[in-house]
Amino acid sequence: MPKLRWWQRGVIYQIYPRSFQDSNGDGIGDLVGIDARLEYVSALGADAVWISPIYPSPMADFGYDVADYCDIDPMFGTLPEFEQLVIHAHQLGLKVLLDFVPNHSSKRHPWFEESRSSRDNPKRDWYLWRDPAPDGGPPNNWLSRMGGSAWEWDEHTGQYYYHAFLPEQPDLNWRHHDVRRAMDGVLRFWLDRGVDGFRVDVLWLLIKDDQFRDNPPNPAYQPGEPEHHRLLQTYTEDQPEVHEIVRSMRATLDDYGERVLIGEIYLPVTQLMKYYGAAGDGADMPFNFQLLNARWSAATLAGMIRDYDCALPKHAWPNWVLGNHDNPRIASRVGAAQARVAAVLLLTLRGTPTIYYGDEIGMTDGDIERDQVRDPAELRQPGMGQGRDPERTPMQWAGSLPNAGFTDGKPWLPVATNSSVREQDGDASSVLSLYRRLLTLRRSHAALVQGTIANVVANGDVLTYERRYRDQALFIALNFGVECAMVQSRSGVVVLSTSVRRDGEVLAAGTIPLATGEAIVASV
């Protein structure tokens, strides 16, 4: 097997900057706060931090409405503070990844302000403008992912502009050469400052149908689903031309050596594979989000793992994501006991894992009262379950401190205090200790980093598989059930268990017990 790149060997830790650590008492996390916690991330065993958007923004969508791609929002700090963070991270052996948001800008970005100033402005076609339909309404039936029409009327120029998300987030026209050139300059700006790669926001949405045809109705739509699900996104996502853009981004990163390009892409596996590129010239890792919404059963996950591994092109490297800033936390989805099983699953599957901040201490979704809702996805579609505030609540550092040590001020979202890093730090049976042991295990066993995955089998509520590399073999067994189960195993030694008392246990060939919600890794 060829020598692995750092992102193939490593583990990525996602930081939602508003919620990680506040250093100045304004209730919002910032760069100085992140910098102060880098030793924690390094000691955990992660290899890279991915920082969600920190660019200047009106914060209509909490930074995903970018007003300047080449600076830092004062809310989070300054460009010199970011540069210092990168230096500190590199000193600790950590890579730094940034969120790149190329599909849309803020409507307050100078580019859009020029674009909407007149129909003959040179930047007019940097965005998607269309004349009204014959009845004066929107040009077609495209819907916003935040609810309502995706077209916003501009009285000044007498046309509509397209926004896949909020009206405050107009979509850029990636068919325009100057847009591509400007965005290439953005990538180079941050690469020149030592950034080690990017997670590209909504990568599969960058190109829209050039004929602006109506999206067809979705025959599987069910009442109660988000409004945009009423239509199939035939002409507003996953257009063939997007792959040329991905190749261009890949080429830019290649100019800077070993940099990683990760794509946020919510598509079925067969479509996802295309984003690797036919010759490995696409995204290094199109994010594999299957675990976020999977039915939590041995049979479902076994089929998912096998199908994904078989679908990967020969040049492709796998990856797995257990949680992120847009989905309910794993401990809330499956419960505290199964969250431990999930940790073993994530960190023993083949490929690069991404850990969402707080999952390593078993954080659950926060309780958000109606008057505390901040997320526009929920405010625009109340009661639809689209709100992302619960999974974005602040990190819990020390339960004995006000706001769990996140801030000395009033936190932007309420802070839970059910557990914390400090409380779990010295407890060998804690979730934090489990994550640390798992990450140490990955570093010491090549089979978990570059080995194959084989014999993926579901037997009742138990999922088993093996990781192999040269003469090293590890057997993983995970009990997804609520009762004790018996598992067939070869002779070996338990090198890790969610039950600390089993570490080092010698296994005889035959059946071995697994307690409720237990997972083990054994050297066989």
Side-chain angles (χ1 to χ4, degrees):
M1 194 170 181
K3 181 181 178 182
L4 298 184
R5 298 184 176 187
W6 71 260
W7 48 267
Q8 294 171 315
R9 301 187 306 270
V11 174
I12 298 170
Y13 185 90
Q14 183 191 356
I15 292 173
Y16 192 67
R18 296 179 69 92
S19 295
F20 199 58
Q21 180 67 69
D22 172 25
S23 71
N24 60 9
D26 66 357
I28 297 172
D30 48 47
L31 293 176
V32 171
I34 294 173
D35 199 347
R37 296 293 187 180
L38 288 179
E39 285 87 353
Y40 164 80
V41 178
S42 177
L44 179 67
D47 300 275
V49 291
W50 152 32
I51 304 174
S52 295
I54 49 177
Y55 312 105
S57 168
M59 298 294 165
D61 191 21
F62 299 112
Y64 284 95
D65 48 320
V66 179
D68 183 347
Y69 285 98
C70 297
D71 205 350
I72 303 294
D73 194 288
M75 176 186 298
F76 298 121
T78 65
L79 193 55
E81 287 172 345
F82 174 77
E83 291 170 339
Q84 177 56 44
L85 185 155
V86 173
I87 291 170
H88 187 198
H90 288 169
Q91 289 171 342
L92 293 169
L94 292 170
K95 305 294 186 181
V96 178
L97 311 181
L98 281 188
D99 229 310
F100 179 45
V101 190
N103 178 70
H104 47 266
S105 74
S106 166
K107 70 176 184 180
R108 296 187 189 175
H109 195 292
W111 296 346
F112 186 70
E113 291 178 343
E114 286 190 53
S115 181
R116 76 185 309 181
S117 65
S118 70
R119 289 199 185 195
D120 59 1
N121 186 277
K123 286 189 172 62
R124 181 66 172 183
D125 292 334
W126 281 40
Y127 294 83
L128 299 169
W129 294 92
R130 302 292 287 175
D131 288 329
D135 64 359
N140 61 25
N141 71 349
W142 294 356
L143 295 173
S144 163
R145 292 168 182 265
M146 294 289 196
S149 172
W151 294 97
E152 184 77 1
W153 176 249
D154 179 63
E155 187 70 36
H156 178 64
T157 57
Q159 283 188 316
Y160 285 89
Y161 67 85
Y162 175 74
H163 55 92
F165 295 91
L166 295 172
E168 292 88 349
Q169 296 168 288
D171 278 41
L172 284 149
N173 177 16
W174 272 85
R175 295 182 183 276
H176 198 295
H177 174 76
D178 289 344
V179 170
R180 297 190 185 191
R181 185 170 59 184
M183 283 301 195
D184 182 73
V186 170
L187 292 175
R188 293 180 185 277
F189 176 89
W190 294 106
L191 290 165
D192 286 341
R193 281 152 184 80
V195 167
D196 300 287
F198 300 91
R199 173 265 193 187
V200 185
D201 186 58
V202 297
L203 181 59
W204 84 112
L205 302 184
L206 293 188
I207 291 286
K208 289 78 178 175
D209 179 52
D210 60 359
Q211 299 179 52
F212 294 90
R213 288 169 283 188
D214 279 353
N215 276 326
N218 178 6
Y221 175 74
Q222 297 292 325
E225 291 184 45
E227 184 183 7
H228 74 276
H229 287 187
R230 290 196 295 105
L231 303 176
L232 298 175
Q233 304 300 308
T234 306
Y235 298 116
T236 47
E237 66 177 41
D238 195 32
Q239 303 300 295
E241 300 93 330
V242 74
H243 298 289
E244 178 188 347
I245 297 170
V246 180
R247 286 193 295 272
S248 175
M249 291 180 182
R250 169 75 271 151
T252 295
L253 267 65
D254 285 346
D255 287 346
Y256 289 80
E258 202 170 278
R259 301 293 190 269
V260 67
L261 182 66
I262 302 172
E264 182 198 26
I265 305 163
Y266 285 91
L267 288 174
V269 167
T270 52
Q271 293 167 264
L272 187 69
M273 295 301 112
K274 298 176 184 177
Y275 285 80
Y276 281 105
D281 54 355
D284 294 304
M285 292 189 295
F287 260 152
N288 170 21
F289 292 128
Q290 294 181 89
L291 293 179
L292 294 179
N293 299 300
R295 181 172 177 268
W296 202 248
S297 74
T300 298
L301 295 174
M304 180 183 296
I305 294 165
R306 289 193 298 261
D307 292 348
Y308 177 69
D309 204 59
C310 288
L312 287 163
K314 288 184 178 180
H315 60 265
W317 184 256
N319 71 92
W320 295 90
V321 177
L322 198 59
N324 65 20
H325 60 294
D326 288 332
N327 291 274
R329 285 188 176 274
I330 184 63
S332 290
R333 300 200 307 268
V334 302
Q338 284 298 314
R340 291 171 176 264
V341 175
V344 178
L345 177 72
L346 175 70
L347 295 170
T348 60
L349 286 172
R350 188 172 86 90
T352 301
T354 297
I355 299 170
Y356 185 48
Y357 83 95
D359 281 355
E360 77 275 13
I361 59 170
M363 275 180 64
T364 54
D365 291 343
D367 294 324
I368 309 296
E369 301 296 333
R370 172 51 51 188
D371 61 356
Q372 296 173 322
V373 172
R374 305 290 299 275
D375 185 6
E378 177 67 17
L379 292 171
R380 285 171 60 89
Q381 303 176 87
M384 295 293 287
Q386 297 299 293
R388 299 161 295 181
D389 292 329
E391 58 263 27
R392 297 177 177 184
T393 56
M395 181 67 173
Q396 298 158 200
W397 294 106
S400 60
L401 296 177
N403 300 312
F406 165 68
T407 181
D408 293 332
K410 181 180 179 181
W412 77 285
L413 281 176
V415 183
T417 55
N418 55 308
S419 189
S420 70
V421 171
R422 180 178 293 180
E423 289 171 299
Q424 296 190 22
D425 196 23
D427 181 357
S429 64
S430 69
V431 182
L432 179 58
S433 292
L434 174 62
Y435 268 86
R436 286 172 175 167
R437 289 190 292 131
L438 280 163
L439 290 164
T440 298
L441 190 71
R442 279 183 64 88
R443 291 181 184 276
S444 59
H445 287 74
L448 289 177
V449 177
Q450 58 195 109
T452 58
I453 188 167
N455 298 327
V456 182
V457 176
N459 187 357
D461 289 325
V462 177
L463 170 64
T464 59
Y465 49 90
E466 294 181 9
R467 297 296 311 279
R468 300 173 181 167
Y469 182 70
R470 295 179 178 171
D471 60 350
Q472 188 181 98
L474 294 174
F475 171 75
I476 294 94
L478 309 103
N479 186 357
F480 292 89
V482 295
E483 297 180 356
C484 180
M486 301 302 292
V487 181
Q488 192 72 30
S489 173
R490 289 188 283 153
S491 60
V493 177
V494 175
V495 294
L496 182 141
S497 170
T498 51
S499 172
V500 179
R501 61 182 173 79
R502 295 195 72 170
D503 288 8
E505 178 182 331
V506 177
L507 304 176
T511 57
I512 60 171
L514 275 186
T516 301
E518 184 179 12
I520 65 167
V521 181
S523 178
V524 296

